[in-house]
């Protein structure tokens, strides 16, 4: 895939230092090691298959060969660590934009960072951060997109799908991957300029699947319902509780579900 990606890629820094593997444990694990070894901002690792793909909350990420996108991007931001979770939202927005532009699909975001198509997940993002002397040393953003896979494991079928299953078309993984990196580079520069998500907040909220919906908030030891409005400039979900009070929910240990299911 490497040559194809390089042919499509029109970025200044995102993915210009590119490593492609046929098989790997996890692209995130690989980029964490590269980060430790001093690799540059914008370094990207792509694999055709992962045998220990990592999902959020310690889950694994099913990563069959030669059908999907598995990639991780290394960033060396010079802002405070509290802002790092916003990068995940920035990547979600970039993936959704790339999908809408390149494939004309109706991609939506399930806060904070799942991309859904027809209410089922097609992309997951896992961000990992390493600190040094109380500042960010580097951040790894891993992106898994179900592109051409034709069948989803039974236990995930209710909540997950692929672009191929939803559109009936086979899509170019390299073209999509390159477009995601282009979009991310643009959005990252906007983010650095503003110092927060204020320049992408409106675009993000337009495609937020939760906006205007009842959601279930699952905090450790606490669960409640509310009406989701949208994100603020910090990426926090604004939720109106049943008693009328507004709360800002910070992505972290909190999980948001639709009241009837995944969305
Ligand atoms: C989630 O649970 O939604 C996040 C899934 C993230 C999967 C991607 S695939 C590429 C990168 N490498 C990994 O091991 N995980 C991420």
């Amino acid at each position: 895939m490497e040559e194809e990606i390089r042919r499509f890629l029109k970025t200044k820094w995102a993915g210009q230092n590119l490593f492609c593997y046929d098989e790997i444990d996890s692209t995130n694990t690989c980029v964490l090691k590269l980060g430790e070894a001093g690799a540059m901002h914008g370094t990207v690792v792509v694999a055709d298959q992962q045998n220990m793909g990592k999902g959020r909350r310690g889950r694994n990420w099913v990563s069959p060969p030669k059908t999907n996108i598995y990639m991780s991007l290394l960033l060396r931001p010079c802002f405070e660590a509290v802002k790092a979770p916003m990068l995940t939202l920035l990547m979600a927005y970039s993936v959704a934009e790339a999908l809408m532009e390149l494939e004309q699909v109706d991609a939506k975001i399930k806060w904070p960072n799942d991309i859904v198509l027809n209410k089922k997940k097609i992309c997951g993002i896992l961000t990992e951060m390493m600190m040094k002397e109380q500042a960010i040393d580097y951040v790894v953003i891993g992106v898994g997109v179900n592109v051409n896979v034709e069948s989803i494991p039974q236990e995930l079928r209710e909540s997950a799908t692929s672009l191929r299953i939803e559109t009936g078309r086979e899509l170019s993984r390299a073209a999509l991957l390159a477009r995601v990196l282009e979009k991310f580079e643009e959005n990252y520069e906007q983010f650095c300029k503003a110092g927060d998500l204020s320049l992408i907040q409106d675009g993000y909220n337009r495609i937020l699947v939760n906006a205007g919906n009842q959601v279930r908030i699952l905090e450790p030891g606490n669960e409640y319902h509310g009406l989701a409005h949208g994100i603020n400039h910090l990426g926090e979900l604004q939720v109106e509780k049943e008693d009328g009070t507004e709360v800002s929910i910070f992505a972290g240990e909190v999980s948001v579900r639709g009241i009837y299911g995944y969305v």
Side-chain angles (χ1 to χ4, degrees):
M1 224 190 351
E2 182 165 350
E3 253 179 52
E4 237 188 311
I5 297 173
R6 286 190 196 279
R7 219 173 335 114
F8 284 115
L9 197 61
K10 294 181 199 71
T11 53
K12 286 178 274 175
W13 51 265
Q16 291 301 334
N17 188 29
L18 176 70
F19 299 91
C20 292
Y21 295 90
D22 294 335
E23 191 178 344
I24 203 165
D25 49 358
S26 147
T27 56
N28 263 38
T29 305
C30 179
V31 174
L32 283 168
K33 286 185 199 145
L34 288 172
E36 218 47 56
M40 66 197 266
H41 177 80
T43 296
V44 165
V45 169
V46 176
D48 254 335
Q49 176 176 8
Q50 298 184 118
N51 51 44
M52 272 176 61
K54 299 189 283 188
R56 291 194 303 155
R57 295 165 203 277
R59 299 198 193 106
N60 71 322
W61 185 255
V62 181
S63 310
K66 293 191 187 297
T67 51
N68 295 333
I69 291 175
Y70 315 113
M71 77 152 163
S72 300
L73 166 67
L74 175 77
L75 298 174
R76 294 192 179 276
C78 26
F79 43 75
E80 315 89 89
V82 287
K83 293 189 179 171
M86 293 187 234
L87 293 172
T88 318
L89 280 78
L90 206 64
M91 180 57 92
Y93 183 59
S94 308
V95 174
E97 275 192 303
L99 283 167
M100 290 188 289
E101 278 185 25
L102 206 62
E103 308 299 348
Q104 287 82 46
V105 295
D106 194 19
K108 297 256 191 277
I109 300 175
K110 176 178 169 289
W111 185 85
N113 55 317
D114 286 349
I115 314 296
V116 296
L117 198 54
N118 304 330
K119 299 196 172 173
K120 291 185 176 182
K121 176 164 168 172
I122 51 165
C123 169
I125 299 169
L126 175 69
T127 300
E128 300 185 81
M129 175 171 67
M130 299 307 278
M131 308 275 295
K132 199 182 205 172
E133 287 151 16
Q134 271 144 44
I136 302 179
D137 187 5
Y138 57 92
V139 174
V140 177
I141 308 182
V143 182
V145 190
N146 293 341
V147 183
N148 291 322
V149 70
E150 287 183 273
S151 95
I152 301 290
Q154 182 68 44
E155 64 278 13
L156 298 174
R157 258 177 231 169
E158 287 272 291
S159 59
T161 188
S162 74
L163 284 157
R164 171 79 189 255
I165 294 169
E166 298 303 313
T167 63
R169 283 178 280 138
E170 181 149 349
L171 308 173
S172 161
R173 288 180 294 154
L176 180 58
L177 196 150
R179 186 64 70 95
V180 168
L181 290 173
E182 281 160 33
K183 286 286 159 195
F184 185 83
E185 187 174 280
E186 267 172 50
N187 290 324
Y188 184 79
E189 287 176 3
Q190 297 280 74
F191 178 75
C192 290
K193 197 160 88 186
D196 58 33
L197 294 168
S198 48
L199 296 173
I200 69 139
Q201 179 184 349
D202 289 348
Y204 181 102
N205 282 335
R206 266 196 292 277
I207 56 169
L208 182 64
V209 74
N210 315 94
N213 282 353
Q214 287 291 330
V215 290
R216 215 155 39 102
I217 314 294
L218 310 169
E219 283 174 0
N222 186 20
E223 180 178 332
Y224 57 94
H225 287 193
L227 175 67
H229 290 306
I231 58 161
N232 62 13
H233 64 294
L234 301 174
E236 297 163 339
L237 188 66
Q238 308 296 294
V239 175
E240 190 180 322
K241 288 170 59 172
E242 283 166 332
D243 63 6
T245 53
E246 279 252 335
V247 283
S248 299
I249 300 175
F250 189 69
E253 279 308 294
V254 181
S255 197
V256 170
R257 294 270 183 287
I259 48 174
Y260 301 116
Y262 170 66
V263 168

